[in-house]
Amino acid sequence: MTDINKIPHDESGPEAGADAPLLVSEAERTAQLLQLTELLFFAYRDFISDPDEILSEFGFGRAHHRVVHFVSRNPGIKVADLLDILAITKQSLGRVLKQLIEGDFIRQQEGPRDRRQRLLYLTAKGRALAVRLSAPQLDRLAKALEEVGPGGAEQIRAALYHVVSPHNRHQVSRIVLANQRIGDQP
Amino acid sequence: MTDINKIPHDESGPEAGADAPLLVSEAERTAQLLQLTELLFFAYRDFISDPDEILSEFGFGRAHHRVVHFVSRNPGIKVADLLDILAITKQSLGRVLKQLIEGDFIRQQEGPRDRRQRLLYLTAKGRALAVRLSAPQLDRLAKALEEVGPGGAEQIRAALYHVVSPHNRHQVSRIVLANQRIGDQP
DNA sequence: TTATTTATGTCAGTCATGTTGACATATTTT
DNA sequence: AAAATATGTCAACATGACTGACATAAATAA
């Protein structure tokens, strides 16, 4: 290993900066990939830490966050579609959904064409929670993106997209492109 | 919203490509950040899916993966340092560590200077498991990075690093820069 | 119209992985 | 000799997943 071990400047991060040499050996490439693996782990962990704190105020957990988030982004979503996005069982969803409905964060509305469906919407209270949950994450991401140049966001988006398994990409594209902003009225 | 809703080409991902306009409005910026939030969720979920399958062969879970990974990367690590990295309690670690030791994936060695310490090492069997677990992740990351140009890896590294909470960055730097390659002899 | 399928909900039990709190043992440090 | 440290362990509990079975209402097909 060459200079991989040098202690990075605290504001630039490991091996960052314009003077970083492009990779030479296979070993360095592997080392870089391992570092990215670990950074993904640590970044993800901290990324969800702010919502976790807010949620605990309400006696909620991460499962509630996910439901609130995707209902916020997809107002009127069917239960079946939400299950598809979350990739959990209806029993798992049922528990948190019940709590969110009883706490007046989410309301259900009979499907206009198919009355079996229970279309999901955030209440005003639910929207307020969604805003509170998303704020620190948007802030964190915005600050992180300031550290990479303009256009970096697109590269990161492309990379993350291609970390998704090929057979899931189409679905992820559809979901991600729902452009309801958090807190907007449905 | 302007052209955010266009269905992306399946191989380029949402809103990627050289022709993507730089952001104009605050709303578009927020939409982009929300998309990144969701991509991080979906990418992370798929990223750990391959190891999950391998682990289930052994009756293991993600907790075992983390322990194997960080012991692999830090041969001879102290229990206390491992606890620090994982940010879990010793009781949680104890359970999975016990299973890994009983299954002959990890061995403990008395600290040479401080005989209270139990330094952790992978066995040959443990190294084989570590290699199997890391292979699909390294492969997945390598392919994803091919989709962004050269230098993209550095931008992603910088971004992920700055998603880590400021007070954790120093520790993460130290940990990530341990350059033991998975499968190498300690 | 009757039968089947679909969308949703619910009960009951299990598992993995985290938590707190209390306590034990060996070893090092003061 | 006393205190602090490194590790381990027991017990109880919480969260959020799971499987399997069954129930109801509404839409669709035969």
Side-chain angles (χ1 to χ4, degrees), chain A residues 15 35 38 69 155 157, chain B residues 35 38 69 154-155 157:
Chain A
E15 195 64 21
Q35 288 170 11
E38 290 173 350
H69 174 92
Q155 289 198 281
R157 178 144 66 166
Chain B
Q35 289 171 12
E38 291 174 349
H69 174 92
E154 284 310 324
Q155 288 196 281
R157 178 145 65 166

Side-chain angles (χ1 to χ4, degrees), chain B residues 1 11 82 86 112 118 152 180:
Chain B
M1 294 298 142
E11 286 315 301
L82 185 53
L86 297 175
R118 297 295 127 89
Q180 183 74 22

Side-chain angles (χ1 to χ4, degrees), chain A residues 120-136:
Chain A
L120 303 173
Y121 296 89
L122 291 188
T123 63
K125 196 173 165 191
R127 281 193 295 275
L129 176 57
V131 169
R132 274 194 69 193
L133 292 172
S134 66

Side-chain angles (χ1 to χ4, degrees), chain A residues 61-102:
Chain A
R62 290 167 197 178
H64 302 81
H65 185 189
R66 289 178 203 135
V67 171
V68 166
H69 174 92
F70 285 109
V71 172
S72 173
R73 289 273 278 171
N74 304 274
I77 190 175
K78 285 193 300 172
V79 170
D81 289 345
L82 184 55
L83 285 174
D84 224 47
I85 290 174
L86 298 174
I88 59 175
T89 58
K90 61 178 173 177
Q91 294 92 329
S92 289
L93 174 59
R95 234 174 339 183
V96 301
L97 195 50
K98 194 175 194 174
Q99 292 175 279
L100 288 167
I101 290 167
E102 284 172 356

Side-chain angles (χ1 to χ4, degrees), chain A residues 148-179:
Chain A
V148 303
E154 286 307 326
Q155 289 198 281
I156 291 156
R157 178 144 66 166
L160 288 178
Y161 180 70
H162 288 93
V163 170
V164 174
S165 299
H167 66 278
N168 288 333
R169 283 180 200 160
H170 227 101
Q171 191 208 8
V172 167
S173 281
R174 267 188 287 108
I175 297 164
V176 166
L177 290 171
N179 64 354

Side-chain angles (χ1 to χ4, degrees), chain B residues 83-160:
Chain B
L83 284 174
D84 224 47
I85 290 175
L86 297 175
I88 59 176
T89 59
K90 61 178 172 178
Q91 294 91 328
S92 287
L93 174 59
R95 237 178 331 194
V96 301
L97 195 51
K98 194 176 194 175
Q99 293 175 277
L100 287 167
I101 290 167
E102 284 171 357
D104 190 34
F105 295 92
I106 285 183
R107 66 183 171 83
Q108 292 175 305
Q109 190 172 301
E110 213 171 54
R113 269 179 284 280
D114 188 334
R115 286 167 50 223
R116 290 171 304 180
Q117 296 174 348
R118 297 295 127 89
L119 308 186
L120 303 174
Y121 295 90
L122 291 189
T123 63
K125 197 174 163 189
R127 280 193 297 275
L129 176 57
V131 168
R132 275 194 69 193
L133 292 172
S134 67
Q137 293 197 318
L138 295 177
D139 196 56
R140 188 183 284 260
L141 269 189
K143 282 177 179 153
L145 291 179
E146 281 172 20
E147 301 291 331
V148 303
E154 284 310 324
Q155 288 196 281
I156 292 156
R157 178 145 65 166
L160 288 178

Side-chain angles (χ1 to χ4, degrees), chain B residues 4 22 30 65 85 108 114 124 138 144 146-147 163 170 178 185:
Chain B
I4 293 274
L22 286 196
T30 300
H65 185 188
I85 290 175
Q108 292 175 305
D114 188 334
L138 295 177
E146 281 172 20
E147 301 291 331
V163 169
H170 227 101
Q185 292 280 349

